[in-house]
Amino acid sequence: MTTNSATTPVQELRNRLPGSLQRLADLAYNYWWSWNSDRAALFQNIDPQEWEKCGHNPVTILKSAKYERLTQLLEDPSYLKQIAALEQEFDGYMNPKETWMSRVAPQVTKEHPIAYFCAEFGIHESLPIYSGGLGILAGDHLKSASDLGLPMVAVGLLYRQGYFRQRLDSEGWQEDYYVDNNFHEMPIELVKNDHGHPLSIELEIRQRMVKVQIWRAQVGRVSLYLLDTERPDNDPIDRWLTGHLYGGNQETRIAQEVVLGIGGIRALKALGIQPSVYHLNEGHAAFCTLEVAKQEIERTGESFYDIEADVRKKCVFTTHTPVPAGHDVFSSDLMDSFFAHYWHQLHLSREQFLALGARRLGDPWEPFGMTVLALRMCRTSNGVSELHGQVSRKMWTVLYPRCSENEVPIGYITNGVHAPTWTAPLMVDLYNQYLGEDWKNNAVDPQMWAKVDNIPDQELWSRHQILKERLIAYTRYKVKKSRQERGEEEYRIQATDSLLDPKVLTIGFARRFSPYKRAYLLLQDFERSLRIFGNSQRPVQIVFAGKAHPADEEGKRIIQRLVEWCRHPELLNRVALIEDYDIYTGQKLVQGVDIWLNNPRRPLEASGTSGQKVCFNGGINCSVLDGWWCEGYKSGVNGWAIGEDAHTSDQELQDRIDSESLYHLLEQEIVPMYYNQDANGVSQRWVQMMKASIKTNAPLFNTDRMIADYVSQVYVPEISTSVKPILAKVNG
């Protein structure tokens, strides 16, 4: 079927589908479906094998489906009823009579939304433009903003090859590789002008004019605009500016941050969007403050220092990095090569311009810091947990010489997770029964979560066991596939059929394999770990997943050590490592494990959110008291703390203290509690701790509460008093 050149991708896909299936096109191009209670069922049922093969991409599955199969679905009344119900729910969601935000802050409108800038967004595995925690948090931020009716647009980069893909060789060494994304087969749309041509903006980068085009991903009611330099009219070098997430050298990094910050502001102007607030999620986007200033100078004719205060009123900043080395800084020479043309447009001298990013003024060797620029140009700044706020204030006292450490103007808003995205459908169904069908809209209400006590112990235990079986089946599939691709011997491939046991206490550990995350902590005393994991009466098993940054050789060696551990004769069925960690794998892990292990070197975990996701599924945290767990942990009630709150600058000593604490917890508390089961195979004490994990953490560590905090403390602080009574029940 031919289509008009002005036809949108949604219309083209709708025209391809027969009859009552046409609305699937609307759903496919809005990521709302990914956190709906039916999840992917409507798309998966078209062709389950192809669904796995295409990476759970609804656009691909609809485009590739044979017409015969589509007409078969038209004969299935239950399938048509599903579509009709989902259509009604979707239409009601997209066109509500009122929202929480329209009630508490009607002054924030679609005409002047919040603009949220981030270098990565983890919306769904079919949009691979994320690497880890920062992107997942950004994705959850958009989803809750949509749910609560917060007028928001988001700006990021569309990476041709995303973050690197991971595979392990026969020696367990990580190999990095990349795969081209076919943007036209993804649930995104190229933004076009009135003449049907791609809407673009221009930037001067390294003395060349670079054209940047704009794509849109729809995340519920929130539009996410993604910038892309992969255009035939750009220099080949510039076409790769948006090639890789966190790839390349310092020149590539600064170029990407110019595209994100300066290009992002110009893109919003080209789109006719006039934000009321610009939210910089991490320092990568700090250059946007300069472009906001430049446009204000052009509009008013005033000097930079005349309009600086007005720019600051519009800009807010969230920092996620608890160590100085993690903040982007660029040499003055590099700044010269990228901004020599630009500071004149701000009516600034070179020295004045560079001073905006200098920690110590007057030092000619001082690099230009992106976090420094953000702190100077934003009216509010916050860390992402209470402890991280303290760490940040201490780190940046140098910028505030007249303030004591406690007076440094950096607050905190603790991260949360988007409950509908991370809660397993099986648990959603359980909550629907015992908490009420509307539980997702009342996620911050402690009284509602107290109803978890009404769930029969046997029911909660059995549902969790099913989720654990699903995790184990998925782990076996992934490990078998990896062994087949490496060409391992047949007996090794077949051995995956008995890998892990659903009846065994299961630990999950999934995150970036950076040395400070200490994935090796369980191996500090190898013989002791063998006794714990190889115990024939009360065994323990663990599933690892995660990537080491391509430049992190030590992180890669940690993975290699874990692979060796997996191959130990006494542990063949008790330890598994899933390659190429992504959102889908993360969901299976947080939904299926009994214990979530998190043992970073404190205080280097700014917040962490994976353990929060576990809570919504009845999992229990065993973590170092760092990040969010400092606020979530209730001693003896809802989980375990590794090493209590011990601090020392001696890293080897700290590792010994924490590993000893972890071994002790496993041997003396965790394992005995789990295996103290009644005649029905249920551990009553364990179930009580599962319920406590849900009740104490779910109301606090969700993104509805987080968004409400951002609204009342950051976006619209003048309403903070009136919002407080509503925060107890965000959607009530």
Side-chain angles (χ1 to χ4, degrees):
M1 181 180 291
T2 60
T3 58
N4 188 287
S5 60
T7 305
T8 68
V10 178
Q11 291 169 330
E12 290 179 6
L13 184 56
R14 190 185 295 124
N15 291 340
R16 185 188 184 280
L17 301 173
S20 301
L21 302 188
Q22 291 187 343
R23 282 304 302 276
L24 287 175
D26 300 315
L27 294 168
Y29 275 94
N30 190 316
Y31 275 105
W32 171 84
W33 68 265
S34 70
W35 72 87
N36 174 267
S37 56
D38 285 340
R39 294 286 169 92
L42 283 175
F43 301 116
Q44 184 177 15
N45 290 342
I46 295 172
D47 187 337
Q49 289 186 333
E50 183 62 28
W51 180 248
E52 292 299 317
K53 184 179 177 182
C54 73
H56 310 148
N57 183 333
V59 172
T60 299
I61 199 76
L62 291 174
K63 284 186 175 182
S64 64
K66 294 181 179 179
Y67 196 75
E68 180 184 5
R69 173 57 182 155
L70 294 174
T71 55
Q72 284 177 348
L73 292 170
L74 286 175
E75 297 181 300
D76 183 346
S78 64
Y79 190 82
L80 296 181
K81 286 178 182 178
Q82 271 187 291
I83 293 179
L86 207 59
E87 280 181 34
Q88 185 176 1
E89 188 178 349
F90 178 62
D91 291 341
Y93 180 90
M94 294 300 292
N95 301 286
K97 293 179 180 178
E98 68 170 2
T99 64
W100 174 80
M101 191 64 186
S102 70
R103 293 195 299 273
V104 302
Q107 63 268 51
V108 182
T109 64
K110 293 180 180 179
E111 289 71 32
H112 299 287
I114 310 299
Y116 184 87
F117 285 71
C118 193
E120 54 172 302
F121 287 89
I123 307 296
H124 185 260
E125 61 267 18
S126 64
L127 188 60
I129 56 170
Y130 60 91
S131 71
L134 178 68
I136 303 301
L137 183 280
D140 283 8
H141 194 111
L142 301 193
K143 292 171 184 176
S144 266
S146 173
D147 290 344
L148 297 179
L150 172 62
M152 175 173 279
V153 296
V155 180
L157 301 181
L158 185 61
Y159 303 97
R160 177 172 166 184
Q161 296 185 336
Y163 199 49
F164 77 95
R165 304 290 298 275
Q166 177 199 55
R167 61 182 168 224
L168 304 180
D169 66 16
S170 58
E171 301 300 318
W173 188 254
Q174 174 179 292
E175 296 178 341
D176 319 318
Y177 71 101
Y178 293 88
V179 176
D180 277 349
N181 291 315
N182 184 348
F183 301 149
H184 294 283
E185 293 292 319
M186 295 165 66
I188 58 177
E189 179 180 0
L190 186 62
V191 178
K192 296 183 179 180
N193 60 25
D194 294 338
H195 302 289
H197 302 303
L199 184 66
S200 65
I201 52 101
E202 283 192 338
L203 294 166
E204 183 176 340
I205 299 178
R206 293 177 293 205
Q207 292 78 53
R208 289 193 297 273
M209 296 308 297
V210 177
K211 287 189 176 180
V212 182
Q213 58 193 11
I214 307 165
W215 298 76
R216 180 174 56 243
Q218 202 62 36
V219 186
R221 303 177 188 124
V222 174
S223 292
L224 166 58
Y225 293 102
L226 299 168
L227 309 182
D228 165 34
T229 63
E230 171 55 27
R231 289 173 52 104
D233 49 356
N234 280 334
D235 185 282
I237 294 176
D238 297 325
R239 292 176 67 173
W240 276 101
L241 287 180
T242 52
H244 299 140
L245 171 60
Y246 304 141
N249 54 22
Q250 281 285 86
E251 284 203 17
T252 302
R253 176 62 69 89
I254 192 173
Q256 288 186 342
E257 296 183 0
V258 167
V259 174
L260 175 62
I262 296 176
I265 297 297
R266 294 183 185 179
L268 291 177
K269 184 177 181 181
L271 290 161
I273 298 171
Q274 299 179 329
S276 58
V277 174
Y278 299 90
H279 184 171
L280 287 59
N281 192 43
E282 195 53 285
H284 309 118
F287 288 141
C288 82
T289 61
L290 302 179
E291 184 64 15
V292 172
K294 186 176 86 68
Q295 292 185 7
E296 190 67 10
I297 289 169
E298 291 172 349
R299 186 183 69 84
T300 63
E302 296 181 323
S303 73
F304 178 86
Y305 298 110
D306 288 332
I307 56 88
E308 185 180 8
D310 290 334
V311 172
R312 190 175 291 111
K313 287 179 183 178
K314 298 177 182 178
C315 299
V316 299
F317 173 53
T318 298
T319 176
H320 293 257
T321 309
V323 291
H327 296 263
D328 282 346
V329 295
F330 302 113
S331 69
S332 55
D333 289 344
L334 200 56
M335 293 298 294
D336 286 343
S337 66
F338 277 82
F339 285 94
H341 71 287
Y342 194 84
W343 57 67
H344 303 294
Q345 299 175 46
L346 296 173
H347 301 173
L348 295 176
S349 67
R350 176 181 183 273
E351 290 72 23
Q352 289 172 323
F353 179 82
L354 294 179
L356 294 173
R359 285 175 53 132
R360 295 177 177 82
L361 300 177
D363 183 349
W365 303 107
E366 180 73 17
F368 190 98
M370 297 297 283
T371 298
V372 175
L373 175 63
L375 290 169
R376 286 212 170 102
M377 294 298 294
C378 293
R379 62 172 163 83
T380 69
S381 300
N382 66 273
V384 289
S385 70
E386 184 175 10
L387 178 60
H388 181 231
Q390 297 171 11
V391 170
S392 297
R393 287 191 290 276
K394 183 176 182 179
M395 187 188 312
W396 297 109
T397 51
V398 64
L399 297 182
Y400 307 94
R402 296 180 181 178
C403 296
S404 66
E405 185 177 309
N406 290 334
E407 294 172 332
V408 170
I410 301 176
Y412 78 92
I413 294 177
T414 303
N415 285 343
V417 300
H418 185 245
T421 293
W422 298 102
T423 307
L426 206 60
M427 293 297 292
V428 169
D429 178 67
L430 194 64
Y431 294 156
N432 286 342
Q433 291 181 47
Y434 292 94
L435 308 186
E437 294 277 347
D438 204 35
W439 71 269
K440 287 182 287 187
N441 293 328
N442 299 291
V444 303
D445 184 358
Q447 293 180 341
M448 182 204 69
W449 287 108
K451 296 177 184 177
V452 165
D453 285 334
N454 298 333
I455 301 174
D457 291 355
Q458 177 72 51
E459 183 72 6
L460 181 58
W461 177 270
S462 62
R463 295 225 179 185
H464 183 72
Q465 290 302 111
I466 293 170
L467 291 172
K468 182 158 57 170
E469 289 183 20
R470 177 68 186 96
L471 167 62
I472 289 171
Y474 176 74
T475 304
R476 289 174 178 175
Y477 161 75
K478 292 287 287 186
V479 174
K480 175 178 277 191
K481 184 179 179 183
S482 296
R483 291 180 182 180
Q484 289 171 333
E485 291 174 350
R486 280 193 294 271
E488 294 191 18
E489 296 176 89
E490 187 61 26
Y491 83 92
R492 286 270 299 155
I493 295 171
Q494 296 305 318
T496 56
D497 293 339
S498 56
L499 179 64
L500 307 178
D501 182 342
K503 296 179 181 179
V504 169
L505 173 63
T506 303
I507 299 173
F509 184 101
R511 53 191 36 86
R512 181 163 52 92
F513 280 108
S514 177
Y516 86 85
K517 302 276 191 179
R518 298 192 299 180
Y520 56 80
L521 198 66
L522 274 170
L523 302 178
Q524 286 293 107
D525 184 335
F526 191 68
E527 293 302 318
R528 196 167 176 184
S529 68
L530 280 181
R531 290 199 301 271
I532 294 171
F533 285 84
N535 189 300
S536 60
Q537 301 300 313
R538 300 188 304 184
V540 179
Q541 59 194 15
I542 187 167
V543 182
F544 290 98
K547 301 176 179 179
H549 188 279
D552 186 357
E553 297 297 305
E554 187 176 352
K556 292 179 180 180
R557 281 192 288 272
I558 291 171
I559 295 176
Q560 195 171 38
R561 286 179 63 190
L562 294 177
V563 171
E564 292 174 0
W565 197 39
C566 293
R567 293 173 178 173
H568 192 281
E570 296 181 41
L571 299 174
L572 288 177
N573 295 327
R574 295 286 176 257
V575 184
L577 194 154
I578 300 175
E579 296 177 30
D580 207 28
Y581 186 38
D582 65 0
I583 287 177
Y584 187 73
T585 297
Q587 285 177 325
K588 292 294 169 282
L589 277 161
V590 299
Q591 292 167 3
V593 298
D594 299 306
I595 289 285
W596 192 255
L597 180 61
N598 183 38
N599 44 237
R601 185 169 288 117
R602 65 180 71 79
L604 302 183
E605 186 90 314
S607 175
T609 57
S610 54
Q612 298 171 352
K613 298 160 190 165
V614 169
C615 298
F616 283 92
N617 294 284
I620 303 172
N621 280 271
C622 179
S623 175
V624 163
L625 284 171
D626 199 8
W628 78 277
W629 191 229
C630 292
E631 300 163 52
Y633 174 60
K634 304 292 185 289
S635 180
V637 175
N638 64 353
W640 291 274
I642 299 170
E644 293 304 321
D645 199 16
H647 289 265
T648 173
S649 59
D650 186 331
Q651 294 185 358
E652 289 188 9
L653 175 60
Q654 186 71 73
D655 287 355
R656 286 199 300 272
I657 292 171
D658 290 344
S659 63
E660 172 59 35
S661 173
L662 178 55
Y663 291 137
H664 177 82
L665 287 172
L666 285 168
E667 292 169 335
Q668 303 300 319
E669 297 187 37
I670 298 174
V671 172
M673 181 188 295
Y674 184 84
Y675 285 105
N676 183 17
Q677 299 175 3
D678 61 21
N680 295 317
V682 178
S683 169
Q684 300 294 332
R685 287 184 61 204
W686 192 272
V687 173
Q688 291 311 303
M689 188 167 278
M690 290 173 69
K691 290 182 175 181
S693 177
I694 299 169
K695 290 186 299 180
T696 59
N697 293 312
L700 291 174
F701 302 107
N702 63 77
T703 41
D704 280 7
R705 186 274 310 155
M706 185 187 79
I707 290 290
D709 282 349
Y710 272 106
V711 168
S712 64
Q713 298 177 35
V714 177
Y715 299 152
V716 200
E718 62 268 23
I719 67 165
S720 59
T721 302
S722 63
V723 167
K724 283 180 181 178
I726 303 171
L727 292 184
K729 194 175 182 183
V730 170
N731 275 350

